[in-house]
Structure formats: C-alpha cells, structure tokens
Amino acid sequence: EDRADRSTPAAGVETLMRFSGPGSSIHMGSSVTAPMLLGYFQDSKYAVLLDWVSVSYPKKLELSIDKKKALQQCLLRGRSGEAVPVTFQFTKHETVDGQIWLIDQVLVKGVSAD
C-alpha cells in the first residue's frame, strides 16, 4: 500500500489531531501542537503510526450497544517487518451537519514478532 505525503510526517499527525474528539488530549483545540506530538511519536512506541508499510484488521469494528462508541483493532507493519497492534477508540458526535465519528484514543501495544 502506498500512502500519500510520506515526506511530511507532521501531515499525518495533524490529520490525527483534526479527527480527534474533544475528550482526547491531542485534539486541535488542546495545548498539544503537531510538532510536539510528532516529537513524542518519533521517540516512542507510537513511531509506527508515522512509518508503517501495511495494515491489516484482525477483527471487525466493534460497536457499543447504543452504537455511540466503537473500537477498531488493527496491525500496522513497520518497515523492518514488525507487527504492531493498534486500537482506535471512537465516539459519535453531533454536529450541525449530522453525526460524525471522532477518535477518543489511540492505543499502541508493544511490537509483536511474527
């Protein structure tokens, strides 16, 4: 899979921030800036979010009973072949244009060997 704009990792961080909900510590209105978040990601287990080569979805999207919250588990494969489990937690939000899903949290687990 070829992803657009690999030359600017900050673009992906800004996109993540734009689609993060108000309950997230990294949403666009928070005190966290894209350069701050990029620096944090680069030096942590979250680095895979910046430079993955493929994604797979071992489970289907899980919806809450009221269909207002969701979990999506995926495996991001890094350049050296490691598979990193990542879980996105979403909440549905009301806007003037209707309902939208926004990210509440991104959980990155340790690297798994396979």
Side-chain angles (χ1 to χ4, degrees), residues 34-55:
M36 287 169 58
L37 191 57
L38 177 62
Y40 174 74
F41 280 2
Q42 287 174 327
D43 297 326
S44 72
K45 64 185 179 181
Y46 290 85
V48 71
L49 296 174
L50 303 173
D51 195 29
W52 52 272
V53 295
S54 69
V55 62

Side-chain angles (χ1 to χ4, degrees), residues 61-72 90-92 101:
L61 182 74
E62 298 176 37
L63 286 175
S64 63
I65 293 173
D66 64 4
K67 297 190 179 357
K68 293 183 180 180
K69 294 195 176 283
L71 284 177
Q72 179 62 68
F90 302 94
T91 299
K92 196 179 280 188
W101 288 98

